[in-house]
Each structure stands twice: as C-alpha cells, then as structure tokens.
Amino acid sequence: MESQKDRVKLNVGGRIFETTATTLGSAGKNSFFGAMFDENWNLHSDAATNEHFIDRNPDYFAVLLDLLRTGELYIPPKINERLLYREALYYGILDHVKSAKWDLFDGNKLRVARSIKGWSIGKYGAIRASPSSGCCVVLPLEFGSMVKVYDWMLDEQPTINLDYHRVNDVCWVDSENIVASSDRKLANGAIELFNAYTGELRCKFQVSDENRLNDYSATELSFNSDYKLFSSCKRNSIERGIVVWDQVTGKHINFFSLEYAKQPYFSSEYTGRLQWLYGTNCLMVVASSFPRIDIRLLDFRENAVVWSWSNAKEMNQKSITDAIVIEENNSICVVDAKKCLGFIDLRDTTKSVGWRERCTSSRTGGCFPKLAFHEGQLLSSMNDTISVYCGSNWIETSQLQRSPGGPICDFSIGGDRLFVLHREEDVFDVWETPRMSII
C-alpha cells in the first residue's frame, strides 16, 4: 500500500525517531503500533506536529525499532536485558524478541542455552514446558511437594505449594495457568488451578458424586481444546478411572471406570500418561507398572474403550516404560528399558509391534526411558542422553548430551525449547535452536 511507504515521526521520551509505516507494520495489528493505524493501515497523524509522542525510554525503544527493521536483536552493554523485555511486552512485540533469540524447534540443531543448578532432584521429579517458553519443576515429597515455576527468561517465580501433599502431576492449560494433582482425595480438592506467576490458587475442581469418588486420588493430567480436563484417578492397585472436568465451571462431568487386573509382578510405583488425540477425539490412557504396560483409547462420546493393547504376553522380551501416539502416522510408539523403539499401527487389527532394534545400553541409571514427539521429530531419553529420530523409518539423526547432571528423569518440549531434568546436580538444562544470522 502507498500509505505504508510514508515516513512516520515518533517522539519517544523527548528523542525524535523517523521510520516507515512498513517497519511499524511488521509488529502486527495486535501490537502497540497497530493501534496507530486504522483497519486499512492508514496512519492517524497529528496534524499540528506530524509526530506521535510515546512516553517511554528512548534508549530501549531504539533497540526494539532496530529489531523491527532488521529482524535481529542486538542488546548494547548499557541496556538492561530484563527492562528491554519489559518494554517489548509494553509494545506488544515480545514474540519478535523470542524469535530473534532462537529459531523454531529442530532437534538436530539444539544447543544448551542455560543450566539451572540446584539440589539433587532424584528420580521422581518432573518437568513441564509452558506454551510461552517457560517451565515448571515438580519437587518430590521430601522437598515438601512444591512446584517451582520459571518464566521464559528462566527467572524463578513464587513457588506453588500444595500443603505437603504429594504432587502427582502438573499441566499447563494455557500460558498463565497450571493445574496440579495431588494425593488429596478428589472430594477434598485433589486437583487445583494456580496462577503460574503469582502462585495464587484460583480454583479447586469439585466432584458432585462424593459417595462414588470420595476415596479416589488424582494422578496424571491432560486437557483438550474444548476446555475439558482429564485426570487419571486411583483408589488402590485395582480400581482406577478417568475423571472429566469442565475447566470453566470446575465441575466433574464424567467418570470412566478402568479396572486393571492385579498381577503379582506389579510394583508399588504406578506411573502413566494421558494424551488427547485431536484427530479421533479419543484419550489415550497408559497404565504402567514396570514391567507391565496397558494402553487404551477411550471415546467419551460412547463411554467405551475403542482400542486396547498390553505387553503382558511379551514381558519376557520387552519391558516397556513409556508410550506416545503419533497421530500423523496413525501409530503408537513404545520404548522399552533398553531404549528399543516399537511401533503399533492403529489400523492393524493384529496389534503387532514392529521393533526397531537400536538398543544402546542395558543401564538406565535408575531413570526409565521416556518419549516425546514434536514437529515431526521423535525424542527418547536414555541415561544422560536424548536421541532424536526423523523420517518415515525413524532413523536416529542426533544425540543430545549434557554433563554433568546425571541420568535424565524427565524432559518436555514447549515454546520451541527443550527442557531436560536431571536427577543430580543440575535441576534442568534448556536447549534452544540457534537463530541463523541474517546476511
């Protein structure tokens, strides 16, 4: 448009800047600068002075204006980085700052950007990445069952404390809110919603059928885009189920009973995974009590199990530790204690496992291998290393290793960052894809 080539004069804190509507337009219509134009990107000009006054610090504005001009972020020594991000938030261009600092997620190009050091976490900690590039770390019971929250700048926020009840799982329902499950009974508020950056308790999810659910406690969590929250719950080693909550009202709207046959080899530790499948509107439930694993797909429209699989018949060969659905391939990937990958085709009625024999070690260092899938890449942890698999045949293309820190007990991907939680020394490592310089 012709108007985008017009010069724009800005008076920021008494200093005059000249730029173009095209440069300011690159900030987007939802930015501070978008408000300076009408819906056709015609500039609202001050007829008297032909300039716009902005009551902000001109030194920081100069850095951000250069970012809009070049796409690159250069922070001079005299500029406080934290204050610069505050200014970027004011102008509504914080996403531009993030994209200038690191590129889109690519497991084959990841580099460690920072390590957050602290206490020895043990093998029962957990880490969850937020959509806004931050994360939270679940501390084991011996630390008081707390959730440590870090923003995208990796600054620690107020701790979320669940009153010394064991934290079983956490999930980010959006960029500002965390849901945590604990060993409290469901009728007493086992699932709570917190403001991630203030630690404020915003909601306790309630049950309307206390007689039925009074003795259950909540474990794994998941959610979908229709504001439904799913929680696995347990009463003992046999009685388990899935509670469905409405995030808006905080009330539970469904309970799906899942009874797993008690086996003599089941250990006292019971872990699992919930994953919502958007393509089929089903929930995958992974019930894992090493060395047995049971996988079920639940359709809440029919209140039925529409697909199930167990490794009970194969346990002498494979002790599976985790599973994840890869929707784009209509398959479920499983990993065993030696990091061999197996794939189950959801369209194959035989439900046979096609194993990829890539075992690298028989040692797990006390932490079982785990899986993640992001942007077409499959990641699996083993000891202190994460392997990246790509392509239709899932060829290993990279290995991510950072020492010291000990074995990896958990990892998570969010906001184009990989967060890796170790059981010793470093609390977690932050991996980013370096930004390519513009020539």
Side-chain angles (χ1 to χ4, degrees), residues 63-344:
V63 175
L64 297 175
L65 180 60
D66 190 59
L67 169 64
L68 294 178
R69 285 168 170 163
T70 66
E72 292 189 318
L73 180 65
Y74 170 71
I75 304 177
K78 66 177 182 178
I79 295 297
N80 182 295
E81 192 168 351
R82 171 176 294 280
L83 295 181
L84 178 67
Y85 300 151
R86 184 193 66 183
E87 292 298 291
L89 181 63
Y90 173 83
Y91 291 114
I93 58 172
L94 192 57
D95 287 344
H96 288 66
V97 173
K98 291 181 181 179
S99 63
K101 288 180 68 66
W102 65 84
D103 213 335
L104 297 177
F105 182 91
D106 186 340
N108 295 313
K109 298 178 181 179
L110 291 172
R111 298 292 183 271
V112 175
R114 186 172 171 186
S115 294
I116 307 298
K117 298 181 180 292
W119 50 87
S120 175
I121 199 72
K123 64 180 179 180
Y124 298 119
I127 194 165
R128 299 289 184 268
S130 78
S132 58
S133 308
C135 73
C136 64
V137 178
V138 179
L139 304 187
L141 189 60
E142 55 265 34
F143 290 102
S145 281
M146 298 180 292
V147 180
K148 293 283 189 180
V149 180
Y150 298 83
D151 63 18
W152 81 274
M153 291 181 287
L154 305 179
D155 290 325
E156 187 175 333
Q157 304 300 301
T159 299
I160 295 175
N161 195 318
L162 277 79
D163 298 328
Y164 295 94
H165 289 273
R166 174 178 172 176
V167 182
N168 291 322
D169 196 12
V170 295
C171 73
W172 293 79
V173 294
D174 54 42
S175 297
E176 295 185 354
N177 294 286
I178 289 177
V179 171
S181 64
S182 70
D183 271 347
R184 288 189 181 99
K185 302 305 181 184
L186 285 179
N188 297 321
I191 301 178
E192 299 168 298
L193 176 71
F194 295 90
N195 181 302
Y197 301 111
T198 66
E200 173 193 2
L201 175 63
R202 289 186 165 177
C203 173
K204 284 191 176 185
F205 290 88
Q206 303 296 322
V207 293
S208 56
D209 186 359
E210 294 186 10
N211 291 331
R212 189 179 188 186
L213 297 173
N214 183 59
D215 293 332
Y216 281 90
S217 59
T219 52
E220 293 77 29
L221 298 167
S222 184
F223 66 96
N224 67 13
S225 57
D226 292 328
Y227 300 102
K228 300 296 186 297
L229 178 69
F230 305 92
S231 173
S232 176
C233 58
K234 62 180 181 178
R235 176 180 285 164
N236 49 47
S237 60
I238 302 176
E239 296 180 80
R240 302 179 185 276
I242 303 296
V243 180
V244 186
W245 312 78
D246 187 318
Q247 292 183 45
V248 178
T249 64
K251 301 293 186 180
H252 97 267
I253 56 178
N254 200 350
F255 174 72
F256 194 104
S257 178
L258 293 169
E259 293 187 0
Y260 293 94
K262 190 174 183 180
Q263 301 292 339
Y265 49 75
F266 266 42
S267 68
S268 59
E269 290 299 329
Y270 190 96
T271 60
R273 177 197 288 267
L274 300 184
Q275 180 185 350
W276 179 256
L277 312 183
Y278 290 91
T280 57
N281 287 315
C282 291
L283 181 73
M284 181 187 72
V285 180
V286 179
S288 172
S289 187
F290 185 77
R292 175 170 173 159
I293 191 169
D294 292 277
I295 304 173
R296 303 184 186 187
L297 299 186
L298 310 183
D299 188 337
F300 290 95
R301 296 166 298 184
E302 304 293 335
N303 272 349
V305 177
V306 295
W307 189 93
S308 64
W309 179 88
S310 173
N311 72 328
K313 296 180 180 179
E314 302 183 26
M315 284 195 308
N316 291 333
Q317 293 103 10
K318 302 293 181 183
S319 299
I320 295 172
T321 63
D322 198 9
I324 192 169
V325 175
I326 304 176
E327 288 198 75
E328 60 190 53
N329 289 348
N330 292 302
S331 65
I332 294 179
C333 177
V334 296
V335 62
D336 77 345
K338 296 183 179 180
K339 210 183 71 170
C340 290
L341 299 182
F343 295 88
I344 309 170

